[in-house]
Amino acid sequence: MAKLYSEHSIEKTNNLKPRDETVKFLLDYSKALSVITGKNEKYETFLN
């Protein structure tokens, strides 16, 4: 498999921090999502 990244790009990812709005959006999304497992399939529904 080809190496598609460099060591310099890996070092820069340690300083990444998400914005508060991003964290809030992801938490709200995960709270609203409900996954129901049937016999052979999964149903994803939003509780909003």
Side-chain angles (χ1 to χ4, degrees), residues 5-17:
Y5 54 89
S6 67
E7 293 177 12
H8 300 292
S9 65
I10 293 173
E11 292 172 358
K12 293 179 183 178
T13 59
N14 292 334
N15 297 330
L16 295 177
K17 294 184 181 177

Side-chain angles (χ1 to χ4, degrees), residues 2-3 5 8-10 12 14 16 18 21-23 28 30-31 33-37 41-43 47:
K3 188 173 183 180
Y5 54 89
H8 300 292
S9 65
I10 293 173
K12 293 179 183 178
N14 292 334
L16 295 177
E21 296 85 16
T22 305
V23 174
D28 290 343
S30 66
K31 290 177 187 176
L33 180 65
S34 175
V35 178
I36 302 168
T37 305
E41 58 269 321
K42 290 184 181 179
Y43 299 100
L47 303 176

Side-chain angles (χ1 to χ4, degrees), residues 37-48:
T37 305
K39 291 183 180 178
N40 295 324
E41 58 269 321
K42 290 184 181 179
Y43 299 100
E44 295 178 355
T45 59
F46 288 97
L47 303 176
N48 294 6

